[in-house]
Structure formats: structure tokens, C-alpha cells
Amino acid sequence: MRKQKKERKQELKLLQEQDQELCEVLCMPHYDIDSTSVPSLDELNRFRQHLATLRETKASRHEDFVNLKRQIILCMEELDHTPDTSFERDVVCEDEDAFCLSLENVATLQKLLRQLEMRKSQNEAVCEGLRAQIRELWDRLQIPEEEREAVAMSMTGSKPKARKALQLEVDRLEELKMQNMKKVIEAIRVEVAQYWDKCFYSQEQRQAFAPYYAEDFTENLLQLHDAEILRLKNYYALHKELFEGVQKWEESWRLFLDFERKASDPSRFTNRGGNLLKEEKQRAKLQKTLPKLEEELKARIEMWEQEQSKEFMVNGQKFMEYVTEQWETHRLDKERAKQERQLKNKKQMETEMLYGSTPRTPSKRRGLVPNTPGKVRKLNTTTMSSATANSSIRPVFGGTLYHSPVSRLPPSGTKPVVTSTCSGKKTPRANRHGANKENLELSGSFLSARTFKGLQI
């Protein structure tokens, strides 16, 4: 019994020493237990469990402390901040094991980190704003790229040193801007016109900004342009999704009109490589997607108009009215083109009925017919022997003869004209004999039909 009592007393003392050490690090009260009496086994077990909990708490708080300290040091380096309070010096300079891991100290660490991160974020925002201002001034003043790169190398990061360098560059560029007022205002006007196009401004809306057309380049005019470009940027950012949707419809509409023009071009059938099939598929796809896109935009615009209590204008008119007008214009253009084709075909038909059609035999196909000298000679001889003076003879050696569709009087003025036919019946001997006696005039000389028979064509 005495041995057990002694062992328990010794174990209690050891546990109390561990408890004291942990409580000092964690800044917690000691475990409440009577040290004068002999503890029971149950009391010792509860004491051990308490110490195990304290060890877990210490490990967790120490891990939090190490992470917080690392982040605090990084923020201080980024801000070029030197610890200026006793607490900050204890965190950064003292040994990690000597720091009191109380809940209060951990909360203070977290608060310090939030303050430093906020300062860092503000500094980064200021530096980024200065960089944006510098880039804008570079563009307006048309600074060479070589000069930009040389300055940009020393303006990275967000430390106070970089922030100071950025501010100096802004001041220098602002001074240059005042010296180059006209160039700067003209550069702003180009940007204003771009945002007018992005926001689908009508001509009346553009003319409402009178300073855009002023020629007196003063600082006041520059301020007016700066205010206008800022307003346009905010307006576009506020309604960016709608403007991008309208822009997508505009691009799809232009592509659709281009396919429509190609579809009415006869030369498209000469294309190779499957382009015609691709264009037809894309045109059919656009015919389906355009109405869907219009319906989506219509719903979004109606919702926007309810929220903003004003109309969404595109080129000075409501979007759906603008879309309807574009479709109607396209329909009228197609109808006008159709009427023009019909009128052209009608005139061509009238011309052919009055004067006859012109042979349109492709030159490539003439070489496909084999030339048989005997048949050609026989055909030409028969044709020329039956031709009279009112026949229209093409060059003798060309091998092709056309008869005039209009009858003319023979040279004698008394005998009727006898024309050859292709019916296969023989011509009466009297007529043929009379035709052989007639002379033909060719190239200013008179030749008889018998002379033609001796020629080889």
C-alpha cells in the first residue's frame, strides 16, 4: 500500500509539472487537483487526459502561430514595414517557443495580419491604377515602345519604392500631356468614337457631344473629353452583356447576308473543294440561330428595360424595331433583284424572237467531232450548189454555212428563190439546172457553181 501511495504521489507531481509548463505556454489556469492527498486511479486518468488535450491545443496553436508569423513577415517585406510595436517585435524577432500561445495573442496576430493585408491590397490597387494611367497616357502621347519598356522595368511590384516610381512617371506624362494638348484630345476622340460604335450610338447621340467637334484645344476641352470617355466606359461596362449580344447578332447578320449574296451568284457552282456545301450548311445554320438569338436578346432587353425604367436603344431605335427593319430591307432587296432578273430575261427573249438567237457552241467541243474529208467535201458541195444569191455564206474554207432567215429578191428580180431543204427529197432537175447557171459573188469576183464543185474544203 505504501509503495502504491508513493508511486501515485510521484506521478501526480510529474503530471503537475507538465501541466504547469503547458499552462504557461498557453496562458491557461492550472488543473485543479488536491496535491496533499493521494489521488485515485480515476483522478490520475482524468489528469492524463487533460494534459493530452493541452498538448493538442499547444500543437494546433503553434501551427497557427507559425503560419500567421510567416504571412505577417511577407506582408511587412512587401510594404517595407519595420515592426514598430512591442507585440510586432515579439512576433517577428523573438523565438517561436517563447511566444505565449494564448487565445488573445492568436486573435491579435490575426488582426495584425488583416491590417497588413489590407494595406498591401490598397497599395497594389494604387499601383495598378497608376500603371493603367501610365498606359493610357503612353497611348495618347504615342510614346515609343523602346521608351515604354525601359520605364516598365522599374515599375514592377507594389512596394513603396515602385509606387513612388509610378507616381513620378505619371507626373512626367501629365506634364507632356499639357504640352501636347491637341494630340492628346485627338487620341481621346478616337477612343470616344470606338465606344460610340460599341454602344451603338446613333448620329444624333454622337452630335449631342458638341466638344467632340470643337477646334479650340484647351485644358477645359480636354477635361470635357476625359469626362465623356469615363462616362462611356462606365456605360459600356454596365451594359456589356447586352452590347456583346447585339454585336454577336450584327456579325451573324452580316455573315447571313454574305451567304445570301453568294447563293444568288451563278458562278458559285464552279467552286471546288466542297466550299459550296459548307456555305449552304452555314447558311442553313444561321437561318435557325438568328431567330433564337433575337428571342434571347428580346427577353434580356425587356428585363433590362423594366429594371432601368428606360428603353434600350440601338442606333437610335429600339432593338427589335431595328431587327425588323433589317429583315424587311433584306426582303425588299431580294424582291427587287428578282424583278430585275425577270425584266432582263424578258428583254433577252424579245430580242431573240426579233433577231434570232446567237449560236453558243463552246469552242472546246468543236474539236471533239472527227473531220472526215470526204463527207465535208460532199456536204459543202451540196450546200453551195443549192445556195442562191440571197444566202449568207460564211468564209468558204471554214466548213460551216448559215442561211439568212430573211428572204431577199434574187439578182434577176424575176425568178423566185429556191432554198435547199434537209427533207431528203431530190431537187427537180430544172431548178438545179437553173441554179447551176447562176453565178455567185465572192470577194469581189464572180464564180459559178461548177467552179465551187472543184474546190476541196
Side-chain angles (χ1 to χ4, degrees):
M1 286 290 293
R2 292 179 179 176
K3 184 179 180 180
Q4 289 181 352
K5 290 171 62 177
K6 184 178 180 181
E7 290 177 353
R8 290 182 185 180
K9 293 282 284 184
Q10 291 178 349
E11 183 177 1
L12 176 62
K13 184 178 180 182
L14 179 62
L15 293 176
Q16 286 178 332
E17 292 176 354
Q18 296 176 7
D19 178 67
Q20 182 178 359
E21 180 182 353
L22 290 172
C23 289
E24 288 178 355
V25 173
L26 298 174
C27 296
M28 296 177 64
H30 298 287
Y31 186 75
D32 186 16
I33 188 171
D34 187 8
S35 59
T36 59
S37 61
V38 178
S40 65
L41 293 175
D42 187 44
E43 290 175 336
L44 291 175
N45 287 333
R46 287 197 299 270
F47 200 177
R48 295 191 197 100
Q49 293 176 358
H50 174 71
L51 292 176
T53 303
L54 290 181
R55 293 189 187 95
E56 292 178 359
T57 303
K58 178 185 175 182
S60 176
R61 292 185 185 180
H62 187 268
E63 183 179 359
D64 293 341
F65 167 72
V66 171
N67 291 332
L68 290 170
K69 178 180 178 180
R70 178 176 53 82
Q71 296 179 54
I72 288 171
I73 292 174
L74 290 175
C75 287
M76 287 183 175
E77 291 177 353
E78 187 68 24
L79 295 170
D80 285 342
H81 175 76
T82 303
D84 53 3
T85 63
S86 59
F87 181 79
E88 291 179 1
R89 287 191 290 270
D90 289 342
V91 172
V92 176
C93 304
E94 297 296 331
D95 186 16
E96 294 180 357
D97 295 332
F99 186 79
C100 180
L101 299 176
S102 64
L103 291 175
E104 182 181 0
N105 284 349
V106 173
T108 306
L109 280 174
Q110 293 173 346
K111 181 179 179 181
L112 175 61
L113 179 60
R114 286 195 298 268
Q115 292 174 348
L116 293 172
E117 287 179 340
M118 183 178 297
R119 287 176 55 188
K120 180 183 175 182
S121 299
Q122 292 174 350
N123 208 32
E124 289 175 349
V126 171
C127 290
E128 188 59 35
L130 291 172
R131 290 190 188 94
Q133 191 175 354
I134 289 172
R135 286 192 292 268
E136 185 177 354
L137 289 170
W138 278 347
D139 294 337
R140 291 181 179 179
L141 296 171
Q142 300 178 0
I143 302 297
E145 193 66 31
E146 297 79 9
E147 185 177 346
R148 299 186 187 190
E149 292 177 358
V151 175
M153 293 294 292
S154 61
M155 296 190 305
T156 57
S158 58
K159 291 184 177 182
K161 184 179 180 181
R163 178 176 176 176
K164 184 178 179 180
L166 290 169
Q167 187 62 54
L168 290 174
E169 179 65 11
V170 169
D171 296 339
R172 184 183 73 86
L173 293 173
E174 286 289 345
E175 185 177 353
L176 283 176
K177 184 178 74 172
M178 300 303 296
Q179 297 173 1
N180 299 272
M181 191 70 66
K182 181 178 179 181
K183 183 190 296 186
V184 173
I185 292 176
E186 289 177 347
I188 298 176
R189 285 177 175 176
V190 172
E191 192 174 3
V192 167
Q194 291 174 351
Y195 272 95
W196 280 346
D197 293 337
K198 287 183 179 180
C199 299
F200 299 95
Y201 264 38
S202 64
Q203 194 62 32
E204 293 76 10
Q205 288 175 299
R206 301 181 186 212
Q207 291 176 353
F209 182 58
Y212 185 85
Y213 307 96
E215 296 296 333
D216 186 17
F217 298 99
T218 61
E219 185 176 358
N220 183 41
L221 186 65
L222 177 61
Q223 291 176 356
L224 292 173
H225 279 76
D226 284 333
E228 177 66 12
I229 193 63
L230 181 62
R231 186 188 67 82
L232 287 171
K233 287 180 178 179
N234 293 334
Y235 178 70
Y236 178 78
L238 185 61
H239 315 305
K240 184 177 180 181
E241 292 184 0
L242 282 180
F243 288 133
E244 287 179 347
V246 175
Q247 182 65 31
K248 182 180 178 181
W249 183 90
E250 285 274 2
E251 293 173 356
S252 301
W253 177 251
R254 284 194 293 267
L255 187 60
F256 173 74
L257 293 180
D258 186 44
F259 286 145
E260 286 285 292
R261 283 190 294 270
K262 290 181 179 179
S264 60
D265 185 6
S267 63
R268 68 194 180 107
F269 295 105
T270 62
N271 292 334
R272 296 292 185 267
N275 292 334
L276 181 60
L277 181 60
K278 293 178 182 178
E279 290 177 1
E280 286 298 322
K281 288 183 178 180
Q282 291 178 347
R283 188 164 71 97
K285 182 180 178 180
L286 283 174
Q287 286 178 330
K288 295 179 180 179
T289 57
L290 272 173
K292 292 181 180 179
L293 182 58
E294 291 167 8
E295 290 298 323
E296 292 177 2
L297 285 173
K298 180 181 178 181
R300 291 166 59 183
I301 288 173
E302 288 178 352
M303 185 181 301
W304 181 89
E305 290 178 343
Q306 291 177 358
E307 294 175 354
Q308 302 293 327
S309 300
K310 61 180 180 179
E311 295 181 343
F312 182 80
M313 308 300 288
V314 174
N315 294 330
Q317 61 184 138
K318 297 185 68 174
F319 175 71
M320 292 312 299
E321 294 178 357
Y322 172 73
V323 170
T324 304
E325 180 180 315
Q326 296 299 312
W327 279 106
E328 182 64 18
T329 303
H330 174 58
R331 186 189 66 80
L332 294 176
D333 290 342
K334 289 184 67 175
E335 186 66 26
R336 183 170 58 255
K338 179 180 178 182
Q339 292 176 359
E340 290 176 356
R341 288 195 302 270
Q342 291 176 348
L343 181 60
K344 182 179 178 181
N345 293 337
K346 182 179 178 182
K347 288 182 178 180
Q348 184 177 357
M349 185 178 296
E350 291 176 353
T351 303
E352 292 178 354
M353 291 179 64
L354 182 60
Y355 300 105
S357 60
T358 305
R360 298 178 182 177
T361 306
S363 59
K364 292 183 180 180
R365 298 182 179 271
R366 292 179 182 176
L368 299 176
V369 181
N371 292 328
T372 306
K375 292 184 179 181
V376 172
R377 184 168 60 251
K378 183 177 179 181
L379 175 62
N380 291 340
T381 304
T382 306
T383 306
M384 287 186 291
S385 65
S386 60
T388 57
N390 67 334
S391 300
S392 176
I393 302 176
R394 296 288 175 94
V396 177
F397 299 98
T400 305
L401 299 176
Y402 295 99
H403 294 288
S404 173
V406 182
S407 300
R408 293 193 295 267
L409 291 176
S412 61
T414 57
K415 295 181 181 181
V417 178
V418 179
T419 59
S420 62
T421 62
C422 298
S423 61
K425 296 182 180 181
K426 294 182 178 181
T427 307
R429 293 178 62 86
N431 292 340
R432 186 173 70 245
H433 180 69
N436 290 337
K437 290 181 180 181
E438 292 179 1
N439 294 329
L440 298 176
E441 182 178 359
L442 183 65
S443 301
S445 62
F446 291 93
L447 299 176
S448 65
R450 185 171 298 175
T451 305
F452 273 91
K453 293 181 179 181
L455 295 174
Q456 291 185 359
I457 299 179

